[in-house]
């Protein structure tokens, strides 16, 4: 007996074009595969062109590839110039790191790749998105703090947990700000829960990675299941700027539904402050 929404419930995407960032592995790959199976034409925006082309060749439907490195504003601008009109833009690409690094433009790597890069890319292509922008966040946003005095951890102590949580809180407040500013396309937010992808076991500590991998089997779900909130957010009729996640215990796994977010993630003042910071840092804005 069917108990909840799955990818098989997604309406036909015939005649529609999806652009998915980070589509060579994990949630992005699973979302691209499901959208293609539902009839969508795919544009895969990826760092590694060879991997992207391999994925595109294996999809059941038409697909093309553009190179996009979210840790480089120059790459983002080149990718934006190559981006066609699409119906759905899925901002999925993200990363973790084992130590503090900076992007080509001097941003702390996780904030730059997970939030500032997608912010810039979306601003540059927003006039080519016809229907919906989806931003993939994380439950980690609940412990996030946006420190505008030291956003790049130049003075405060860096840890992967603090940096990742800050970047994911940034994603949610960016989505809130984008929803209030964007005319035309709808903006939706989601998170995959605890999905067994490479991003969840990349701490650099072999013992900890083995523990996380084992925990994935007990608490987590597959990448295909983790992609379902993305698919739901991309295709269902939802209130503006909803937040979709799994319906199970602590939102680790389960079927997609609307879920809650922190007060900070819902704060329009914080959203405006982040927008001003991100626009200044990236040199991009809407309009």
């Amino acid at each position: 007996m069917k108990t909840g929404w799955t990818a098989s419930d997604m309406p036909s995407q015939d005649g529609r074009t999806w652009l998915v960032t980070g589509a060579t592995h994990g949630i992005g790959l699973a979302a691209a595969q499901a959208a293609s199976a539902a009839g969508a034409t795919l544009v895969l925006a990826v760092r590694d062109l060879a991997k992207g082309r391999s994925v595109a060749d294996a999809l059941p439907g038409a697909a093309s590839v553009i190179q996009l490195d979210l840790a480089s504003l120059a790459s983002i601008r080149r990718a934006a110039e190559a981006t066609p009109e699409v119906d759905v833009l899925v901002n999925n690409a993200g990363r973790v790191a084992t130590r503090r690094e900076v992007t080509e433009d001097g941003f702390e790597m996780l904030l730059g790749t997970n939030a500032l890069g997608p912010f810039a890319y979306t601003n540059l292509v927003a006039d080519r998105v016809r229907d919906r922008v989806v931003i993939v966040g994380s439950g980690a946003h609940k412990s996030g703090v946006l420190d505008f005095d030291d956003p790049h951890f130049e003075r405060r102590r860096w840890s992967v947990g603090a940096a990742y949580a800050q970047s994911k809180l940034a994603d949610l407040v960016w989505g809130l700000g984008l929803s209030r500013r964007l005319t035309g396309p709808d903006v939706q937010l989601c998170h995959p829960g605890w999905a067994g992808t490479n991003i969840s076991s990349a701490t650099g500590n072999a013992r900890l990675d083995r523990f996380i991998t084992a925990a994935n089997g007990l608490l987590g779900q597959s990448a295909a299941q983790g992609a379902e909130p993305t698919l739901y957010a991309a295709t269902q009729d939802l209130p503006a700027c909803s937040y979709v996640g799994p319906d199970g215990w602590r939102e680790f796994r389960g079927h997609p539904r609307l879920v809650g977010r922190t007060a900070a993630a819902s704060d329009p003042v914080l959203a405006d402050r982040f927008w001003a910071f991100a626009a200044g840092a990236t040199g991009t804005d809407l309009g």
Side-chain angles (χ1 to χ4, degrees), residues 202-229:
T203 69
N205 181 311
R207 187 175 182 180
L208 182 56
D209 282 351
R210 286 196 298 272
F211 170 79
I212 293 173
T213 299
N216 278 336
L218 295 174
L219 301 175
Q221 56 189 356
S222 69
Q225 291 169 314
E228 287 180 348

Side-chain angles (χ1 to χ4, degrees), residues 84-97:
E85 287 194 356
V86 301
D87 296 285
V88 179
L89 166 60
V90 179
N91 283 293
N92 162 81
R95 66 175 293 175
V96 296

Side-chain angles (χ1 to χ4, degrees), residues 96-114:
V96 296
T98 59
R99 57 185 174 84
R100 183 185 180 274
E101 301 175 69
V102 295
T103 69
E104 181 179 292
D105 305 285
F107 307 145
E108 187 277 322
M109 184 62 73
L110 302 193
L111 183 62
T113 304
N114 297 350

Side-chain angles (χ1 to χ4, degrees), residues 19 66 76-86 89 91 118-130 133 182 185 285-286:
L19 189 151
I66 59 175
I76 289 166
R77 291 185 182 279
R78 288 192 297 270
E81 291 175 358
T83 298
E85 287 194 356
V86 301
L89 166 60
N91 283 293
F119 172 93
Y121 179 67
T122 301
N123 283 345
L124 293 170
V125 303
D127 62 348
R128 277 163 274 167
V129 182
R130 291 185 284 256
V133 176
L182 198 59
D285 208 334
L286 291 175

